[in-house]
Amino acid sequence: MSADRENHDMSNGDIALLLADAADEVEIGIAPYESVIRGGRRRRARRWAVAAATALVLAGSSATLAVAGLPGGDGGRVAPAATQPGTPLPDGFETRPHRTTLASGTDDGKRWRVVIDVWDAPRDRKEADSQRAAMAERGESPEIGKASELVGKISYFVYRGYGDETTKVMENTVPKSDTMTGTDLISGSLPLRPDAKADVRLVIGYVARTAERVNCTWTNETATVVERAPAGTETASDDPVIRTPDGSPYDWFVCVAPKGAEYKSAEVIK
């Protein structure tokens, strides 16, 4: 193992050890699926380890939510569409998220979709209180103690829709000023089908604004290259491209392995 790069395969119970061991590249195993962190700078590793502990809510343990605009809205707890007016405060802060479709497609005759909700950073306790109440109405609960911990931070929630089922698969709350640079990449891999126990084909991740392409490598030794959408153009959600969701400090990508293959690795390539 070189001094510049270290790998770790750990469970949730090993997070404390991970936080104590800053490394350029960290891989965290969270049963039953896999969370992957790729880093280009040693000084960022501890913060990324914390993000990894909270960023991935894997399908095997997360609650299934009914989210408007996605397959699976069943009349239970339905989140209002992002285009609906929120509840603006007197100074104009709206208690609603920005919603962006990161990717969509068809698998075995069923439509699937990956969508992200990004909440703006509250500027004070009043805005934070209002935002947390609005989040609760949508079934989105950030892993924080007091609402005041949201001040100056954006929160995001990522959903996988497949057929009639919608599942929250990633979430985190990070400083509004957070950035990624160079070949930095954080991604999570999980089954495309919510009822699958294996078949880890879906990869969701985020990269720096400057990243031009991401290479997703599969167990059958093939690869999928996800490139940035050309500036000033609209790209259909069925086209795999690097996207810039409203409100997010990062750019996001989604790639899906061909049938018969599973996730192996993901990296930013120049």
Side-chain angles (χ1 to χ4, degrees), residues 172-185:
N172 207 1
T173 297
V174 299
K176 179 181 178 181
S177 60
D178 199 30
T179 59
M180 302 183 73
T181 59
T183 58
D184 295 349
L185 180 153

PDB file of all heavy atoms in Angstrom, residues 172-185:
ATOM      1  N   ASN A 172     -28.135  13.862   2.219  1.00  0.00           N
ATOM      2  CA  ASN A 172     -27.064  14.478   2.994  1.00  0.00           C
ATOM      3  C   ASN A 172     -27.365  15.948   3.187  1.00  0.00           C
ATOM      4  O   ASN A 172     -28.171  16.537   2.465  1.00  0.00           O
ATOM      5  CB  ASN A 172     -25.708  14.316   2.301  1.00  0.00           C
ATOM      6  CG  ASN A 172     -24.546  14.318   3.287  1.00  0.00           C
ATOM      7  OD1 ASN A 172     -24.750  14.415   4.495  1.00  0.00           O
ATOM      8  ND2 ASN A 172     -23.344  14.197   2.776  1.00  0.00           N
ATOM      9  N   THR A 173     -26.720  16.548   4.174  1.00  0.00           N
ATOM     10  CA  THR A 173     -26.761  17.987   4.420  1.00  0.00           C
ATOM     11  C   THR A 173     -25.324  18.472   4.481  1.00  0.00           C
ATOM     12  O   THR A 173     -24.535  17.964   5.286  1.00  0.00           O
ATOM     13  CB  THR A 173     -27.492  18.301   5.740  1.00  0.00           C
ATOM     14  OG1 THR A 173     -28.856  17.859   5.636  1.00  0.00           O
ATOM     15  CG2 THR A 173     -27.474  19.795   6.042  1.00  0.00           C
ATOM     16  N   VAL A 174     -24.976  19.440   3.624  1.00  0.00           N
ATOM     17  CA  VAL A 174     -23.584  19.888   3.511  1.00  0.00           C
ATOM     18  C   VAL A 174     -23.541  21.406   3.449  1.00  0.00           C
ATOM     19  O   VAL A 174     -24.532  22.058   3.094  1.00  0.00           O
ATOM     20  CB  VAL A 174     -22.905  19.307   2.247  1.00  0.00           C
ATOM     21  CG1 VAL A 174     -22.880  17.787   2.299  1.00  0.00           C
ATOM     22  CG2 VAL A 174     -23.611  19.780   0.979  1.00  0.00           C
ATOM     23  N   PRO A 175     -22.400  22.018   3.801  1.00  0.00           N
ATOM     24  CA  PRO A 175     -22.285  23.479   3.698  1.00  0.00           C
ATOM     25  C   PRO A 175     -22.543  23.964   2.283  1.00  0.00           C
ATOM     26  O   PRO A 175     -22.144  23.320   1.311  1.00  0.00           O
ATOM     27  CB  PRO A 175     -20.828  23.740   4.112  1.00  0.00           C
ATOM     28  CG  PRO A 175     -20.461  22.564   4.968  1.00  0.00           C
ATOM     29  CD  PRO A 175     -21.188  21.398   4.367  1.00  0.00           C
ATOM     30  N   LYS A 176     -23.208  25.092   2.176  1.00  0.00           N
ATOM     31  CA  LYS A 176     -23.509  25.676   0.876  1.00  0.00           C
ATOM     32  C   LYS A 176     -22.240  25.916   0.074  1.00  0.00           C
ATOM     33  O   LYS A 176     -22.236  25.831  -1.152  1.00  0.00           O
ATOM     34  CB  LYS A 176     -24.261  26.990   1.072  1.00  0.00           C
ATOM     35  CG  LYS A 176     -24.625  27.713  -0.203  1.00  0.00           C
ATOM     36  CD  LYS A 176     -25.351  29.020   0.089  1.00  0.00           C
ATOM     37  CE  LYS A 176     -25.684  29.778  -1.178  1.00  0.00           C
ATOM     38  NZ  LYS A 176     -26.382  31.063  -0.862  1.00  0.00           N
ATOM     39  N   SER A 177     -21.138  26.204   0.775  1.00  0.00           N
ATOM     40  CA  SER A 177     -19.867  26.520   0.116  1.00  0.00           C
ATOM     41  C   SER A 177     -19.070  25.288  -0.275  1.00  0.00           C
ATOM     42  O   SER A 177     -17.984  25.413  -0.845  1.00  0.00           O
ATOM     43  CB  SER A 177     -19.015  27.392   1.039  1.00  0.00           C
ATOM     44  OG  SER A 177     -18.748  26.701   2.265  1.00  0.00           O
ATOM     45  N   ASP A 178     -19.585  24.092   0.017  1.00  0.00           N
ATOM     46  CA  ASP A 178     -18.831  22.877  -0.271  1.00  0.00           C
ATOM     47  C   ASP A 178     -18.562  22.756  -1.772  1.00  0.00           C
ATOM     48  O   ASP A 178     -19.419  23.086  -2.598  1.00  0.00           O
ATOM     49  CB  ASP A 178     -19.605  21.653   0.199  1.00  0.00           C
ATOM     50  CG  ASP A 178     -18.721  20.437   0.348  1.00  0.00           C
ATOM     51  OD1 ASP A 178     -17.531  20.601   0.650  1.00  0.00           O
ATOM     52  OD2 ASP A 178     -19.223  19.320   0.148  1.00  0.00           O
ATOM     53  N   THR A 179     -17.369  22.294  -2.119  1.00  0.00           N
ATOM     54  CA  THR A 179     -17.009  22.146  -3.527  1.00  0.00           C
ATOM     55  C   THR A 179     -16.249  20.854  -3.739  1.00  0.00           C
ATOM     56  O   THR A 179     -15.759  20.236  -2.790  1.00  0.00           O
ATOM     57  CB  THR A 179     -16.132  23.313  -4.014  1.00  0.00           C
ATOM     58  OG1 THR A 179     -14.931  23.367  -3.214  1.00  0.00           O
ATOM     59  CG2 THR A 179     -16.862  24.639  -3.935  1.00  0.00           C
ATOM     60  N   MET A 180     -16.137  20.457  -4.991  1.00  0.00           N
ATOM     61  CA  MET A 180     -15.300  19.341  -5.395  1.00  0.00           C
ATOM     62  C   MET A 180     -14.420  19.843  -6.528  1.00  0.00           C
ATOM     63  O   MET A 180     -14.816  20.721  -7.295  1.00  0.00           O
ATOM     64  CB  MET A 180     -16.151  18.151  -5.820  1.00  0.00           C
ATOM     65  CG  MET A 180     -17.081  17.665  -4.742  1.00  0.00           C
ATOM     66  SD  MET A 180     -18.034  16.210  -5.212  1.00  0.00           S
ATOM     67  CE  MET A 180     -16.772  14.952  -5.155  1.00  0.00           C
ATOM     68  N   THR A 181     -13.232  19.292  -6.636  1.00  0.00           N
ATOM     69  CA  THR A 181     -12.296  19.773  -7.641  1.00  0.00           C
ATOM     70  C   THR A 181     -11.637  18.611  -8.368  1.00  0.00           C
ATOM     71  O   THR A 181     -11.615  17.476  -7.888  1.00  0.00           O
ATOM     72  CB  THR A 181     -11.189  20.633  -7.002  1.00  0.00           C
ATOM     73  OG1 THR A 181     -10.480  19.852  -6.022  1.00  0.00           O
ATOM     74  CG2 THR A 181     -11.774  21.866  -6.331  1.00  0.00           C
ATOM     75  N   GLY A 182     -11.114  18.918  -9.552  1.00  0.00           N
ATOM     76  CA  GLY A 182     -10.330  17.929 -10.290  1.00  0.00           C
ATOM     77  C   GLY A 182     -11.094  16.661 -10.567  1.00  0.00           C
ATOM     78  O   GLY A 182     -12.178  16.662 -11.125  1.00  0.00           O
ATOM     79  N   THR A 183     -10.504  15.538 -10.147  1.00  0.00           N
ATOM     80  CA  THR A 183     -11.097  14.223 -10.382  1.00  0.00           C
ATOM     81  C   THR A 183     -11.863  13.695  -9.172  1.00  0.00           C
ATOM     82  O   THR A 183     -12.168  12.512  -9.086  1.00  0.00           O
ATOM     83  CB  THR A 183     -10.007  13.205 -10.775  1.00  0.00           C
ATOM     84  OG1 THR A 183      -9.026  13.137  -9.718  1.00  0.00           O
ATOM     85  CG2 THR A 183      -9.330  13.603 -12.080  1.00  0.00           C
ATOM     86  N   ASP A 184     -12.193  14.578  -8.219  1.00  0.00           N
ATOM     87  CA  ASP A 184     -12.974  14.170  -7.054  1.00  0.00           C
ATOM     88  C   ASP A 184     -14.292  13.537  -7.501  1.00  0.00           C
ATOM     89  O   ASP A 184     -14.954  14.032  -8.420  1.00  0.00           O
ATOM     90  CB  ASP A 184     -13.291  15.371  -6.164  1.00  0.00           C
ATOM     91  CG  ASP A 184     -12.056  15.988  -5.532  1.00  0.00           C
ATOM     92  OD1 ASP A 184     -10.989  15.381  -5.613  1.00  0.00           O
ATOM     93  OD2 ASP A 184     -12.175  17.090  -4.967  1.00  0.00           O
ATOM     94  N   LEU A 185     -14.684  12.467  -6.839  1.00  0.00           N
ATOM     95  CA  LEU A 185     -15.926  11.775  -7.167  1.00  0.00           C
ATOM     96  C   LEU A 185     -16.427  11.039  -5.937  1.00  0.00           C
ATOM     97  O   LEU A 185     -15.646  10.387  -5.246  1.00  0.00           O
ATOM     98  CB  LEU A 185     -15.710  10.791  -8.322  1.00  0.00           C
ATOM     99  CG  LEU A 185     -16.903   9.954  -8.815  1.00  0.00           C
ATOM    100  CD1 LEU A 185     -16.722   9.589 -10.278  1.00  0.00           C
ATOM    101  CD2 LEU A 185     -17.085   8.678  -8.009  1.00  0.00           C
TER     102      LEU A 185
END
